[in-house]
Structures are given as C-alpha cells and as structure tokens.
Amino acid sequence: MRYAVRIAVMLLVAAILGNALATDPSARASADPFGYTVYVPLVSNPPPPTPTSTPIPPTPTATPVPPTPTPRPQGVYVLSHSQYKPPYSSYYYVVGEVLNNSDRPVYHTTVTATFYNEAGQVAGSNYSYTELTMILAGEKAPFRIMAQAAADWTYEVAITNYDTTADAAYNHNFAIINAIACGSGSDCYVVGEVQNNTADTWQHVKAMVTLYDSAGTVIDTDYNYLGPTSLAPGAKSSFSVSFYGPQLASLSDYAVAAEGWK
C-alpha cells in the first residue's frame, strides 16, 4: 500500500514538472538535473552583396584614313581642257594645259584638237604649240587652239609631237610682281610686272596667263610680250593680258608664268 502511494506521488510530480517544462523555458533550465543550461548560437545568413556594375569601355572612334592620291602617269600629257565660243566670233577655242611628268625638259610641244560631227565622223582638226616653248620636268604649260566647228560637234585633244633637245637657251627664272586680275561679267584682264632674277639678259620675254574654274580646269589662256621685250639682270617690265567671253562666268583662279630665250 505504501509503495502504491509513493508511485502515485511520483507520477503526480512528474506530470507537474513536465507541464512546467513545456510552457516555461526558465523552468526547464531550473529543472535541469545537472544544474546548467546549453545555449545554441543563433546563426543568421548575411544579405548578399549589392552587385557592382562593370563599366563598359567607350567604343573607339575610328580615325578616318585620307584617300591615297592616284599617282599621275609618267610622260607628257594633257592635264585638263575645255572649249568656248566668243559671242563675236565664228570660231571655237579649245584651251587646256599640258603636264610634263617626265624626268627631262621637252620643247615645241604640239597639241591637236580633232572634231567629230553628229555621226561620229571626223569633221575638222587644228593644232597649236603650248605657250611655253620649253616645259621643264614637273612644269605645266597652257595651250589655245582655234578652229571652226559646229555647236553640236564633239572633240578630242592629244599631244602629237614634242622635242627633247633645245634649239636655243630658254629661261623661266622670272619673278611675277604685283599681278592682279580685274574686270567683271564677260571682261577680264590680268596686269603685273616681270623681273629678271638671273645674271643674263633675256630676249623676247613674254607673260602667259592661265584662267581656271573652281575644279582647276583651264577655261582660257593667252599671252603677251613685255614692253620692252628684252630684260637685263635685275630689270623688270610690265604686262597686260585681256580676256573676253562667256567662259569668264566660271573664273575662280589664275596663274602667271614668263619665258625668255637667247
């Protein structure tokens, strides 16, 4: 009987303690039969790092490569040309420029203009010498050919002859001084002075004027002898060259050269 009572009391105590441990953590700790409490550390996951954007390098700008200039052909050839008809004349004028792209001077260069009618047949031709008798290597020389032609004809120009030996001594070493172009509309004249920069006296000195449009094409050319035509060392003389016609409407630039011989 006493054992039954003890067992009943023990079961009652166990029930009370179990209920306290289930509802109160501190009761669990105080009821620890070994007298200590085990704490489990709280582990928390840190927030993920904020992603850093990688800067995108700028797209490199391509440096434009200038076009390679087309090399000029070797030899002596017509560089540019055009034609016009003065209002007072029944003749057409074919004007242009010859380049000596060889390694030596040439002399008495002949340029021929051949005209073709509507059927493509040769209808006429004429020729002229360049206005510079001597064309040094790398120099340009203008030409002017006069011919009777119809308005609907076409034409071609070609160099038909030149010499490689000189028949006289020629000089281009002159200074062009105070050259100006004047005029308006269909009239223009270029005036200036030529000075002899050499130690020799040169005869029959002439000044040549070449007119260009904005594209560098020759639109007209002419020359005139100085007065006086003989130039001693250091001496200078004036010149005047006049132009007239519809070609002057496209005038953009001009060049002056001089030549003498002895």
Side-chain angles (χ1 to χ4, degrees):
M1 183 65 178
R2 287 183 295 178
Y3 291 108
V5 173
R6 289 181 180 177
I7 292 172
V9 171
M10 290 176 64
L11 290 174
L12 179 60
V13 171
I16 294 171
L17 286 176
N19 184 50
L21 289 174
T23 57
D24 187 1
S26 61
R28 288 198 301 269
S30 59
D32 188 347
F34 298 101
Y36 62 87
T37 304
V38 177
Y39 295 95
V40 178
L42 178 63
V43 179
S44 61
N45 293 325
T50 303
T52 303
S53 60
T54 303
I56 300 174
T59 303
T61 303
T63 302
V65 179
T68 303
T70 303
R72 287 175 170 172
Q74 294 295 311
V76 183
Y77 59 92
V78 176
L79 190 60
S80 73
H81 59 86
S82 63
Q83 71 167 344
Y84 70 92
K85 181 181 179 297
Y88 58 84
S89 174
S90 60
Y91 288 88
Y92 280 84
Y93 289 87
V94 175
V95 295
E97 201 167 40
V98 170
L99 172 66
N100 178 9
N101 201 28
S102 69
D103 57 358
R104 57 184 176 177
V106 296
Y107 306 87
H108 304 287
T109 303
T110 305
V111 184
T112 300
T114 304
F115 293 87
Y116 302 88
N117 59 22
E118 288 182 322
Q121 301 168 328
V122 174
S125 67
N126 203 1
Y127 72 91
S128 178
Y129 293 103
T130 56
E131 293 178 359
L132 286 175
T133 304
M134 174 183 69
I135 312 176
L136 297 172
E139 272 191 333
K140 296 182 291 187
F143 64 86
R144 190 184 199 207
I145 303 171
M146 183 176 64
Q148 284 187 314
D152 56 356
W153 288 2
T154 60
Y155 75 95
E156 294 179 353
V157 292
I159 295 174
T160 49
N161 191 47
Y162 59 82
D163 299 329
T164 56
T165 57
D167 58 348
Y170 295 91
N171 175 55
H172 294 173
N173 189 15
F174 297 100
I176 308 301
I177 305 172
N178 302 323
I180 59 171
C182 306
S184 61
S186 58
D187 290 283
C188 175
Y189 59 93
V190 179
V191 297
E193 293 179 305
V194 175
Q195 183 173 24
N196 181 6
N197 284 341
T198 73
D200 299 314
T201 297
W202 295 97
Q203 309 295 329
H204 309 288
V205 180
K206 60 182 178 180
M208 287 140 286
V209 178
T210 307
L211 306 182
Y212 301 91
D213 63 14
S214 59
T217 300
V218 174
I219 60 170
D220 208 351
T221 182
D222 207 348
Y223 68 92
N224 210 346
Y225 285 95
L226 307 184
T229 61
S230 177
L231 276 186
K236 59 184 178 181
S237 183
S238 62
F239 69 89
S240 177
V241 180
S242 60
F243 299 91
Y244 177 76
Q247 74 282 9
L248 300 180
S250 58
L251 175 61
S252 178
D253 198 5
Y254 70 95
V256 182
E259 181 179 69
W261 62 277
K262 63 178 181 178

